[in-house]
């Protein structure tokens, strides 16, 4: 696969702004392990292999267990995720695949049972961020692994 356009070079101001937004979110109230799961799940749903590759390597560097990474796609049937992680993954799916009816009260109540109001908002911004990255990377056909050295992902040993 060949990348269509280099969005970082052609619109560096937008790239830097989105990168700053994404980095700021990571300072929020949601633990890194959930941020990794969310990034992986949204990237799976959006068919963004560039981001899926990147965030799998990041999760590996963050000491996430390989089996849990493999189970993200089938998290509902896996016993490897806590209720808090399940709530975050359900919220990710609902916001990534927005339906005509929005987010159900049942899901919102379930998420509120696991996360604080601040955490729900921080998680929502994280989901917004990964969906933005997925969309630009899919549209421009970003090549999986092409930024590994820039982001230190080659250290994950998954090449």
């Amino acid at each position: 696969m060949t990348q269509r356009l280099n969005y970082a070079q052609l619109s560096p101001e937008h790239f830097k702004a989105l990168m700053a937004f994404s980095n700021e979110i990571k300072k929020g109230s949601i633990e890194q392990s959930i941020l990794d799961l969310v990034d992986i799940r949204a990237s799976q749903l959006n068919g963004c292999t560039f981001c899926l590759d990147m965030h799998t390597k990041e999760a590996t560097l963050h000491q996430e267990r390989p089996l849990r990474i493999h189970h993200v796609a089938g998290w509902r049937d896996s016993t490897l995720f806590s209720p808090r992680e399940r709530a975050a993954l359900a919220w990710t799916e609902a916001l990534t695949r927005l339906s005509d009816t929005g987010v159900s009260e049942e899901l919102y109540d379930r998420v509120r049972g696991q996360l604080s109001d601040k955490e729900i908002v921080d998680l929502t911004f994280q989901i917004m961020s990964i969906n933005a990255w997925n969309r630009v990377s899919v549209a421009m056909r970003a090549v999986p692994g092409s930024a590994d050295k820039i982001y230190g992902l080659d250290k994950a040993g998954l090449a």
Side-chain angles (χ1 to χ4, degrees):
M1 177 166 73
T2 303
Q3 186 163 322
R4 287 178 172 156
L5 298 171
N6 187 324
Y7 49 89
Q9 286 180 352
L10 292 168
S11 271
E13 64 284 357
H14 299 309
F15 179 84
K16 288 176 188 173
L18 186 54
M19 186 65 76
F21 176 70
S22 298
N23 288 333
E24 189 62 31
I25 294 165
K26 294 190 186 318
K27 298 175 190 174
S29 61
I30 302 295
E31 57 270 30
Q32 186 62 56
S33 60
I34 288 181
L35 297 177
D36 289 335
L37 296 174
V38 163
D39 287 346
I40 290 168
R41 186 62 185 137
S43 298
Q44 288 172 337
L45 294 171
N46 289 320
C48 185
T49 308
F50 177 85
C51 292
L52 182 57
D53 177 85
M54 172 182 280
H55 297 298
T56 297
K57 290 171 182 171
E58 283 181 340
T60 300
L61 290 171
H62 296 145
Q63 306 304 309
E64 183 58 77
R65 294 188 338 236
L67 187 58
R68 280 173 39 95
I69 293 171
H70 292 299
H71 278 224
V72 171
W75 66 268
R76 280 184 177 81
D77 298 320
S78 175
T79 59
L80 301 179
F81 301 102
S82 70
R84 181 176 170 81
E85 291 167 332
R86 290 175 178 286
L89 289 165
W91 194 249
T92 299
E93 288 185 0
L95 297 183
T96 298
R97 296 176 170 158
L98 279 175
S99 73
D100 291 341
T101 58
V103 178
S104 73
E105 285 300 316
E106 182 272 324
L107 175 57
Y108 177 70
D109 290 342
R110 191 165 22 127
V111 172
R112 274 194 102 192
Q114 296 298 322
L115 287 85
S116 71
D117 290 352
K118 167 84 166 116
E119 290 171 330
I120 293 170
V121 172
D122 286 355
L123 179 61
T124 299
F125 279 113
Q126 176 65 26
I127 296 164
M128 289 167 47
S129 173
I130 189 58
N131 275 285
W133 286 114
N134 287 168
R135 279 150 177 73
V136 71
S137 295
V138 167
M140 301 307 156
R141 290 189 180 161
V143 177
S146 62
D148 281 4
K149 286 193 192 261
I150 295 168
Y151 297 115
L153 300 175
D154 51 331
K155 294 178 181 94
L158 296 177

